Amino acid sequence: MAQDNKNNSYGGAREQADARKASRRPARPPRLPWWARELVRFALLMAATSFVTFALVSLSPIDPVQANVGQAAYASMTPERRAEMAAYWGADTPLLERYAAWAAGALTGNLGLSLRFNAPVTEVIAQRAASSLALMATAWVLAGVIGLALGVAAGACRDRLPDRLVRAYCYLISATPTFWLAMVALMVFAVMLGWFPLGFSAPIGAAASSVTLADRAYHLVLPALVLSVTGVANIALHTREKVVDVLQSDYARFARTRGEGTWAVVRRHGLRNLVMPALTLQFASISEIFGGSVLVEQVFSYPGLGQAAVTAGLGGDAPLLVGIALASAALVFAGNLAANVLYGVVDPRVRGGASHAVR
Amino acid sequence: MPCDKREKRTLLRPRAGAPAPAARGAAEPSPVAPKPAAGDAAATASACPALPFAAPAPEPPLTVFHAPARCALGGNRRRTLAALIAAATVLVAVVVAGRILAPAAQATDFSQVNLAPCPAHPFGTDWMGRDMLARTLAGLATSVLVGLAAAVVSSLIALGLAAVAALGGHRADAAVSWLIDLVMGIPHIVLLILVSYALGRGAVGVTVGVAVTHWPSLARVLRAETLQLRAQPYLAHARALGVSRWRIFADHLVPYLLPQYVVGLVLMFPHAILHEASVTFLGFGLPPEQPAIGVILSEAMSYLTAGAWWLAVFPGLALLAVVLLFDRVGAGIRRLLDARTVQE
């Protein structure tokens, strides 16, 4: 799994050896084509995620009726009206029954009705995902490119000034709360310097039809930058480790004895060997980028999936919360799958679905 | 005289006339037969490694020793230990100060509202005249305690799952791996929101949420370690001798995993603390009346445009410092426990 590489700091090499060993285990079900296996895994993941989130949400003591109607309105309501509301929000049906009904709907693409936004969950998610994905994709690409460049530079200049600077930066950033960084950025660049807008994805008060693409891009810059700054640290540190490994290898030493300089070795031998781990890291970082986007969107009042998740959680909107959890799990899964497919494209040795064993 | 690495590698060869390494402790002319009653315990202990060579021996000894690190701050390991203890002391001091200052953090003084940082209030005051330094320290104390609960609970879950994966056979192993993948497949913040929501938000929600969601990465590491242990011959021996699974767990697995476990435990703190602050910031965590960094920062959001920069900057920096300190402690423990870096 692509996410395994997150743990390199503890001793990834051993783990990889074990994973290879484990994949050779005889007790395997009859082999399906790799896409079918991925499909089964995806179905299992979706079923488990939806059930767990559904169960968690129903466990909640937060009464959706009270949370949404408001204390004052709830107190002045007649008992009949209350019962009607409770039936509308589905407060009295047992968990399994409700889940079965929900799952039957979900199979036909109906994830229920968002009580907070008063629209189908799929519609809310699709609308929110559009602006959220723009933000996350920008940050994701930026973080990947900058992280790779910094990591290569640090690894090639090991223990010299660039390396120290990059490591200090990564160390500091990985200890910084994302939302605080977003607040400081907002304070400095939007409030004090006035270079960027104070949030939202479009100018305040403008009609939706009059908002141009340039407006949206302008509102996207600062949140995306903050999000990418936090994503860089992990990628840069792991890339650095890998470059150091490559430069200590026999073939790198041989290349150097032939008279190639450090940069030539990195360019000709290092980068090719970096492609795979870099891909893994890049796609594994999707989960973190999503988590960061929840916080950054909240600070910048950016109307994306993350903000919708917070609204749903605070407002007791259970169907939307389940929908967003599913969407995020699907996104993370798609990232891992994309990494596995790309391995085959990049490296002929992993073609044909053996990508789980080799990283 | 501070001893560096080069000195460590030199052979200890006594020369006549050269000041003996143990001259401080054993000044008597006849150190070959030291009287146990004469030297007190401390002096003997400190001079102990070099004592036999203090005598002007006729020929150099055949055995090669490393010169012992004699000075208090000599050697990287001692320095690491000192730094570790210092960092841990600061953290304990923060918690104690935060607990003591908790009443002061609640005290409002409407004659001193929205003060910028000054000598009386180094972190400034908020719109209710509360001292931000006291609030920040109290909030940090809460964060550290939540982090402590989270790290202990999560690491125990990780250890338990690793043991199940290692000793329960292939199916249990597959189940544990799948569980790890499942939990890691949902973005952590979303999971925290869900758990916190399930428990009705508030202090319980955030503490339990942070405590039960931090185990997957450590469980994965520990599982890999146990897989490696399973391949060891001595474990096969123990099995062949009919040692029970529980005994294998207690006698072989736990000591083998302990270094990784302790490091993982300490390095879980920073994550837990950051997540607690994040979730509280989003509004799912600690209630507004409780001093917490997340609460302070989310309240500061409404004063950003008013120019009250100190409300956001200092608590955030303090949180950053605490996280860095925990990271230092973890890195220090790892260096001290890892056999591969013993000579560094």
Side-chain angles (χ1 to χ4, degrees):
Chain A
M1 285 271 334
Q3 285 199 343
D4 283 20
N5 270 29
K6 268 187 178 175
N7 303 320
N8 271 359
S9 50
Y10 291 107
R14 283 183 194 168
E15 205 179 311
Q16 286 178 11
D18 289 324
R20 248 172 268 142
K21 220 181 290 159
S23 71
R24 256 189 270 124
R25 220 174 274 150
R28 262 194 174 276
R31 289 185 78 79
L32 294 164
W34 70 270
W35 55 265
R37 265 181 288 143
E38 294 293 337
L39 212 61
V40 170
R41 283 185 54 220
F42 181 69
L44 268 177
L45 173 77
M46 284 295 114
T49 310
S50 62
F51 185 72
V52 170
T53 48
F54 211 86
L56 280 176
V57 163
S58 344
L59 268 179
S60 175
I62 299 170
D63 183 3
V65 181
Q66 282 197 41
N68 278 279
V69 181
Q71 295 281 334
Y74 188 78
S76 63
M77 236 182 236
T78 60
E80 298 87 63
R81 180 88 181 117
R82 270 186 211 171
E84 202 180 301
M85 292 296 287
Y88 174 68
W89 296 80
D92 297 329
T93 338
L95 166 65
L96 280 178
E97 205 174 301
R98 236 184 315 158
Y99 179 70
W102 180 88
L107 285 179
T108 62
N110 173 19
L111 289 177
L113 210 61
S114 163
L115 308 163
R116 194 78 185 170
F117 292 89
N118 209 6
V121 166
T122 41
E123 212 171 272
V124 176
I125 289 181
Q127 185 200 344
R128 290 298 182 122
S131 51
S132 223
L133 283 181
L135 172 69
M136 281 192 272
T138 316
W140 184 65
V141 170
L142 273 180
V145 172
I146 298 173
L148 191 69
L150 286 182
V152 169
C157 310
R158 193 186 172 196
D159 289 338
R160 296 212 305 274
L161 188 66
D163 183 26
R164 289 210 192 131
L165 286 180
V166 169
R167 267 190 300 166
Y169 164 80
C170 293
Y171 185 55
L172 213 59
I173 282 297
S174 59
T176 312
T178 311
F179 63 96
W180 181 68
L181 202 67
M183 284 172 73
V184 172
L186 193 65
M187 208 153 61
V188 173
F189 294 107
V191 176
M192 289 183 186
L193 297 175
W195 292 354
F196 294 103
L198 267 173
F200 304 101
S201 68
I204 302 165
S209 54
S210 69
V211 177
T212 60
L213 206 61
D215 276 336
R216 294 207 178 275
Y218 179 51
H219 283 75
L220 188 81
V221 175
L222 198 55
L225 276 181
V226 170
L227 204 50
S228 62
V229 157
T230 54
V232 160
N234 193 19
I235 294 177
L237 279 183
H238 281 118
T239 307
R240 174 188 175 273
E241 293 293 309
K242 200 68 198 169
V243 173
V244 168
D245 279 354
V246 166
L247 287 181
Q248 282 177 344
S249 66
D250 289 341
Y251 57 82
R253 181 175 296 165
F254 184 50
R256 251 189 239 152
T257 51
R258 285 198 308 262
E260 292 183 37
T262 306
W263 288 111
V265 175
V266 168
R267 209 173 55 242
R268 290 185 194 145
H269 304 286
L271 288 182
R272 285 172 187 229
N273 283 297
L274 275 177
V275 172
M276 299 275 279
L279 276 179
T280 308
L281 276 177
Q282 181 68 6
F283 282 99
S285 71
I286 287 183
S287 170
E288 279 164 49
I289 289 272
F290 192 97
S293 80
V294 174
L295 294 162
V296 169
E297 283 175 9
Q298 187 68 13
V299 174
F300 286 95
S301 322
Y302 193 88
L305 272 183
Q307 211 206 14
V310 176
T311 314
L314 290 178
D317 188 349
L320 185 59
L321 207 51
V322 174
I324 289 175
L326 276 187
S328 63
L331 193 67
V332 172
F333 184 87
N336 290 339
L337 185 65
N340 281 347
V341 171
L342 279 178
Y343 287 165
V345 175
V346 172
D347 189 340
R349 287 172 301 181
V350 241
R351 216 158 282 167
S355 45
H356 282 294
V358 184
R359 265 174 285 145
Chain B
M1 186 184 88
C3 35
D4 56 2
K5 271 188 188 168
R6 243 174 296 131
E7 200 203 336
K8 255 189 205 168
R9 286 199 206 98
T10 56
L11 296 185
L12 203 71
R13 213 169 278 211
R15 276 158 291 163
R24 191 169 55 92
E28 291 93 0
S30 63
V32 187
K35 291 164 206 120
D40 61 330
T44 326
S46 74
C48 180
L51 200 58
F53 305 108
E59 68 247 14
L62 291 173
T63 330
V64 176
F65 284 97
H66 291 288
R70 279 172 299 141
C71 21
L73 282 174
N76 279 331
R77 288 176 70 77
R78 291 211 186 175
R79 233 171 290 151
T80 307
L81 185 65
L84 196 158
I85 292 173
T89 314
V90 174
L91 287 172
V92 171
V94 165
V95 174
V96 172
R99 288 277 121 183
I100 293 173
L101 285 174
Q106 312 270 10
T108 53
D109 180 358
F110 285 94
S111 65
Q112 309 239 305
V113 176
N114 283 332
L115 289 181
C118 57
H121 303 282
F123 282 18
T125 62
D126 63 5
W127 62 99
M128 284 165 79
R130 290 175 289 191
D131 180 44
M132 287 309 285
L133 179 61
R135 280 194 87 195
T136 302
L137 280 173
L140 286 177
T142 317
S143 288
V144 171
L145 292 179
V146 170
L148 185 72
V152 169
V153 172
S154 266
S155 64
L156 285 179
I157 296 177
L159 187 65
L161 284 178
V164 168
L167 305 173
H170 291 319
R171 273 168 203 278
D173 186 28
V176 168
S177 303
W178 187 76
L179 197 62
I180 293 174
D181 283 345
L182 175 68
V183 176
M184 281 186 131
I186 306 175
H188 203 141
I189 289 279
V190 176
L191 195 61
L192 281 172
I193 289 179
L194 281 170
V195 175
S196 175
Y197 178 80
L199 294 169
R201 306 198 280 261
V204 179
V206 70
T207 311
V208 174
V210 172
V212 300
T213 55
H214 277 84
W215 51 267
S217 53
L218 181 62
R220 189 170 276 200
V221 174
L222 292 182
R223 175 183 161 265
E225 291 278 323
T226 51
L227 282 183
Q228 198 153 27
L229 177 75
R230 213 157 57 174
Q232 300 287 334
Y234 65 82
L235 210 71
H237 267 134
R239 284 221 177 118
L241 288 172
V243 178
S244 70
R245 285 188 171 177
W246 174 248
R247 279 285 302 276
I248 289 182
F249 174 75
D251 288 356
H252 296 299
L253 197 64
V254 169
Y256 185 83
L257 291 181
L258 206 59
Q260 287 279 12
Y261 174 79
V262 173
V263 172
L265 175 79
V266 178
L267 289 183
M268 222 180 258
F269 266 91
H271 285 272
I273 290 173
L274 286 181
H275 278 133
E276 181 268 320
S278 305
V279 172
T280 304
F281 173 78
L282 290 178
F284 292 94
L286 301 170
E289 66 272 10
Q290 204 151 345
I293 297 291
V295 170
I296 295 176
L297 288 178
S298 78
E299 281 172 356
M301 274 294 286
S302 13
Y303 291 81
L304 274 191
T305 42
W309 54 272
W310 59 90
L311 291 182
V313 170
F314 290 127
L317 280 179
L319 182 64
L320 177 61
V322 164
V323 168
L324 283 178
L325 277 178
F326 267 116
D327 207 66
R328 284 273 65 144
V329 172
I333 290 179
R334 171 155 45 188
R335 276 187 66 186
L336 290 179
L337 285 181
D338 193 347
R340 276 168 297 190
T341 57
V342 158
Q343 297 298 329
E344 283 173 14

